Amino acid sequence: MSILSGYKVLELTEVFQGPLAGQLLADYGAEVIKVEKPQGGDILRNTDIYGLKNNCLSSHFAAANRNKKSVCIDITSDEGKEVLMALVKESDVLLHNYRPGVLDRLGFGYEALAKICPKLIYAVATGYGETGPLATFGGQEMVIQALSGYCATNSGDKAPVIVNAPAIDFGSGMVLAQGILLALMEREKSGKGQKVTTSLLGTAAAITGIEVSSLLNTGIPINWFETGLNFVFQTTDGWLLALGFFKENPLGLMCEALGVEDLSKKLGIEKANVLELTQHKSAVEPTLAEACKKLTTEEALSRFQAKDLLCAPIMSVEDAMAQPQMQEINAMVDAHVTGQRDLRVVDSPLAFSRTPKRENVTVPLLGEHTEEILARLGLDKK
């Protein structure tokens, strides 16, 4: 039996942040009922161009909504509100990412539901928090990267770079799932539900916690890649990351690995600390880079590894997911979709020694479970 078997979660979320929280709970056994608008459903169902062209389920949607049940109702209508209230009354958790005030106006705000269902965990994912000057603005990963300083942390004097993979969305979803689980644990003691909230902006601040702490307390900005003898080298067939962290004389080791003159001795910096080494980075890089250009990635990798230096080939996504170690940790899983081929998606990285995740991974079609859920509630299709 999965860890969360028996728990019921009502999810009213779209895109990535909120759905990821619901997906984690679904992966470990909770029944997660995703309420979607009848016209199009979750936005992620319609962002996959391949899926739209080939009339198949969006791979984007599959990445954040496995193991859920999809119910289509119009929650702004009287009939839809009736169904939604029935679902609330049987749920342990209500999860939503509407802007502040939206569900309150529909009669499904926390204060109203807490009176009806005092044991309900009411979880809210927002962009900026529920109060303050930005509370009612639309939150989105790239906007938060810009507003939080996240995309400027590694740019130095160069133009800020927006990171493609939505780390803040992912982190916020995981934080909210953690909050939901903590609230459920507390409910076991008190018998009472409560409201749990997190925001993209707050998560972005937390992700950059060390960098922010350094800047606010010392005035010194941190760029981890530049804070050390760290390089990206081109090889004959690709690129290699080589790091000088955690070694007394990483420059000497790199020179030995590449078979070139020991620049640490030449410059008299064998005993130099990290700060002193970094000051010589631009002077030593051309020699190291030229040596790497004569080697394949595999040859350079084996040489650096022989000196116990931190290093890795810089892989494409396709190569990264195909490497044996990804298979060893079961990073990918096939998700079943009714009426079409299975979709390959990244699985949850959590593993337990005794309690399993769901064995049969599925992704729901839009409204696939509407009739089933309404029948269970004893209601006609609305």
Side-chain angles (χ1 to χ4, degrees), residues 57 88 93 119 148 150 172 177 218 228 281 318 320 376:
L57 186 72
V88 168
V93 178
K119 297 183 69 174
S148 66
Y150 180 82
S172 187
T218 69
K281 185 174 181 178
E318 293 85 354
R376 187 176 80 191

Side-chain angles (χ1 to χ4, degrees), residues 67-372:
N67 295 323
K68 300 176 186 179
K69 295 180 178 180
S70 173
V71 172
C72 279
I73 55 174
D74 177 6
I75 65 170
T76 65
S77 69
D78 291 340
E79 296 83 357
K81 290 178 182 178
E82 180 188 355
V83 174
L84 187 59
M85 184 58 75
L87 287 169
V88 168
K89 289 180 178 179
E90 72 163 22
S91 297
D92 296 286
V93 178
L94 183 148
L95 166 63
H96 83 80
N97 66 347
Y98 284 96
R99 295 190 195 189
V102 172
L103 282 192
D104 296 84
R105 291 192 292 272
L106 293 174
F108 292 90
Y110 172 66
E111 299 298 335
L113 295 187
K115 295 175 182 177
I116 300 169
C117 306
K119 297 183 69 174
L120 181 70
I121 307 301
Y122 192 95
V124 184
T126 68
Y128 309 95
E130 293 192 291
T131 59
L134 297 179
T136 59
F137 282 62
Q140 195 273 343
E141 170 78 22
M142 290 183 278
V143 173
I144 299 297
Q145 286 191 26
L147 193 63
S148 66
Y150 180 82
C151 67
T153 56
N154 66 343
S155 59
D157 295 329
K158 301 176 183 177
V161 176
I162 298 294
V163 179
N164 191 50
I168 298 172
D169 262 329
F170 181 84
S172 187
M174 294 304 97
V175 168
L176 188 57
Q178 181 184 65
I180 290 168
L181 294 173
L182 289 170
L184 288 171
M185 290 176 64
E186 194 279 337
R187 192 179 72 174
E188 293 298 314
K189 302 174 184 177
S190 67
K192 299 177 181 180
Q194 61 181 304
K195 189 176 187 179
V196 182
T197 64
T198 193
S199 68
L200 291 173
L201 188 62
T203 299
I207 289 174
T208 56
I210 294 178
E211 296 80 10
V212 169
S213 180
S214 175
L215 190 60
L216 295 183
N217 292 287
T218 69
I220 301 173
I222 296 177
N223 181 316
W224 293 109
F225 186 76
E226 298 299 335
T227 308
L229 211 62
N230 307 315
F231 303 97
V232 171
F233 293 129
Q234 187 173 11
T235 64
T236 61
D237 59 353
W239 296 87
L240 179 80
L241 172 69
L243 303 180
F245 290 137
F246 314 130
K247 297 296 179 184
E248 288 186 7
N249 183 10
L251 179 56
L253 294 174
M254 289 181 183
C255 290
E256 287 182 37
L258 294 172
V260 299
E261 178 185 7
D262 188 340
L263 298 176
S264 68
K265 291 183 178 179
K266 181 179 179 180
L267 297 171
I269 52 175
E270 301 102 314
K271 304 295 185 180
N273 59 35
V274 172
L275 179 60
E276 293 168 334
L277 283 173
T278 303
Q279 292 172 346
H280 290 84
K281 185 174 181 178
S282 60
V284 304
E285 185 170 9
T287 300
L288 301 176
E290 187 62 31
C292 262
K293 282 184 180 179
K294 300 174 183 178
L295 303 171
T296 66
T297 302
E298 186 58 38
E299 288 170 341
L301 187 67
S302 63
R303 291 188 180 203
F304 281 113
Q305 287 176 335
K307 299 299 179 181
D308 197 29
L309 289 160
L310 291 170
C311 57
I314 298 179
M315 293 184 168
S316 67
V317 173
E318 293 85 354
D319 289 343
M321 299 313 298
Q323 64 180 298
Q325 193 61 39
M326 286 290 190
Q327 299 174 40
E328 181 68 24
I329 63 175
N330 299 312
M332 305 293 291
V333 66
D334 290 319
H336 177 70
V337 183
T338 301
Q340 69 166 72
R341 65 177 175 82
D342 291 350
L343 291 176
R344 194 85 168 139
V345 296
V346 180
D347 202 0
S348 168
L350 274 174
F352 296 85
S353 63
R354 185 169 48 80
T355 47
K357 289 177 284 193
R358 289 183 187 271
E359 293 184 359
N360 299 314
V361 179
T362 61
V363 183
L365 299 175
L366 179 60
E368 182 174 349
H369 304 92
T370 302
E371 292 188 9
E372 170 196 329

